[in-house]
Amino acid sequence: MSAQIIDGKAIGLKVREQVAKDVAEMVAEGYPPPGLATVLVGENPASEVYVRMKQRACAKAGIESFGYILPATATQEEVENLVAELNADPKVNGILVQLPLPSGLDDERVLNAIDIEKDVDGFHPINIGRLAQKGRESMFVPCTPNGCLYLLDEMNVQIEGANAVVLGRSNIVGMPLALLLVKRDATVTICHSRSQDLPGITRQADILLAAVGRPEMVKADWVKPGAVVIDVGTNRIDDPSTEKGYRLVGDVDFDEVKEVAGMLSPSPGGVGPMTIAMLLRNTVRSAKMAHQNA
Ligand code: NDP
């Protein structure tokens, strides 16, 4: 059996086309284009790449982006002052502080300073807290976990009542992903570096989501035949045969697992494109809310 491959690129593109349409309509109605401010502190090459990708995606969708770069020596106060300025700027509908921040800066305080109505990354403690509470809705949901759920919905995967196993419990992926799945009435098991007998646990999963940052860790015998597998991991491994000397792989051994799973979202080409698509969608939603409240 070979798994149905979940094409995150195509699904993400469809979302981005809808976002571009929404933006065009908004502008045609006389509103300014939505604006996303990106805040990059220090010189982390991976963060620089992510921010550039997000800015490019904004430009393609007609969203204005405002890039702010602070040196690694920036103080807590300087970062929080910038966030306060952006909170007050009506051209800015979304504020994205690229994580991780350089050591010495308190990311929780910075995230807490973002106006929750502009928290398009969904990491404000109130938004995360609401995710964990029954009957409460977050203003915005973190983009990568939301992208995973979007893929599952697009593929008509039954979430309610399913046994979902999430590998990873980070603040930005694993934990919010698990909380979202609980909200959607899945029965969720969260695994982490201290979990015992991972293959035994993951084999129980109807839906298995891997976000550990360990190249190709999930093997065929970790997966129940027919299960849905979502690979969030993005890892660089050496490959002298490529021009760059490396290639990207997920947390799932694609070649093995595709022979067992019912559906598989690959990495790259699965969740990655969804993350940016969800960010753009959140930014447009924030702009619409600002217009309604004006
Ligand atoms: P973190 O390093 O913050 O968290 C990793 C999690 O995996 C931790 O909870 C850790 O456990 C757990 N873990 C690590 N090793 C093992 C192991 N051997 N067995 C079981 N659990 C383990 O990573 P992130 O959550 O930030 O990212 C995870 C992956 O997702 C990375 O590959 C990252 O590149 C990718 N990613 C992809 C995105 C996308 O858009 N596609 C966006 C964000 C991330 P513990 O808590 O005990 O330390």
Side-chain angles (χ1 to χ4, degrees):
M1 187 176 74
S2 201
Q4 184 178 359
I5 303 304
I6 303 176
D7 187 348
K9 254 193 198 164
I11 297 171
L13 192 65
K14 242 175 44 188
V15 174
R16 284 164 64 164
E17 283 168 358
Q18 184 58 50
V19 166
K21 266 192 207 154
D22 289 351
V23 172
E25 265 172 33
M26 203 180 270
V27 172
E29 283 167 19
Y31 291 109
L36 175 72
T38 57
V39 178
L40 184 61
V41 189
E43 289 166 8
N44 175 332
S47 293
E48 285 167 10
V49 171
Y50 293 143
V51 167
R52 255 200 317 273
M53 280 166 63
K54 289 166 186 173
Q55 289 172 335
R56 251 188 252 137
C58 279
K60 275 195 186 162
I63 295 174
E64 206 168 344
S65 62
F66 308 98
Y68 292 84
I69 299 178
L70 295 178
T73 52
T75 62
Q76 184 77 30
E77 198 185 359
E78 282 165 341
V79 182
E80 287 182 30
N81 284 345
L82 173 57
V83 169
E85 264 174 47
L86 299 172
N87 283 341
D89 186 342
K91 290 195 298 301
V92 172
N93 302 107
I95 302 171
L96 179 149
V97 177
Q98 186 66 41
L99 301 176
L101 291 174
S103 60
L105 292 174
D106 180 339
D107 60 1
E108 192 184 353
R109 269 177 55 196
V110 173
L111 296 173
N112 207 18
I114 296 174
D115 181 339
I116 65 162
E117 298 195 355
K118 297 190 178 188
D119 178 36
V120 287
D121 242 352
F123 293 143
H124 189 290
I126 291 182
N127 275 328
I128 292 289
R130 285 184 183 163
L131 208 55
Q133 289 176 316
K134 200 172 170 187
R136 304 265 163 84
E137 291 298 329
S138 307
M139 192 86 77
F140 296 102
V141 173
C143 299
T144 300
N146 207 17
C148 295
L149 272 280
Y150 197 99
L151 289 180
L152 294 174
D153 286 335
E154 194 70 9
M155 301 305 291
N156 294 317
V157 173
Q158 165 92 16
I159 300 175
E160 184 184 336
N163 267 337
V165 174
V166 179
L167 295 175
R169 59 174 166 183
S170 73
N171 288 340
I172 60 169
V173 190
M175 190 56 79
L177 180 54
L179 294 171
L180 268 177
L181 288 159
V182 171
K183 265 209 188 309
R184 291 286 301 273
D185 298 323
T187 303
V188 180
T189 305
I190 305 173
C191 299
H192 45 77
S193 64
R194 312 292 165 87
S195 298
Q196 302 294 310
D197 183 23
L198 285 176
I201 300 171
T202 57
R203 272 197 297 270
Q204 306 298 316
D206 304 313
I207 307 173
L208 173 60
L209 308 104
V212 281
R214 299 276 176 261
E216 300 177 325
M217 183 174 90
V218 177
K219 301 293 180 191
D221 63 355
W222 291 40
V223 176
K224 175 160 93 175
V228 178
V229 180
I230 304 284
D231 190 356
V232 185
T234 313
N235 311 291
R236 264 187 195 195
I237 57 167
D238 291 340
D239 185 348
S241 72
T242 64
E243 203 178 303
K244 291 178 179 158
Y246 69 86
R247 66 193 162 91
L248 296 178
V249 298
D251 291 343
V252 174
D253 188 324
F254 180 84
D255 290 334
E256 278 196 15
V257 170
K258 78 173 190 324
E259 299 305 326
V260 184
M263 288 185 200
L264 171 59
S265 102
S267 176
V271 176
M274 296 308 298
T275 298
I276 291 185
M278 294 297 110
L279 174 70
L280 301 183
R281 218 165 64 130
N282 280 353
T283 305
V284 171
R285 200 157 63 79
S286 172
K288 282 185 183 164
M289 289 188 314
H291 301 155
Q292 280 159 8
N293 294 339

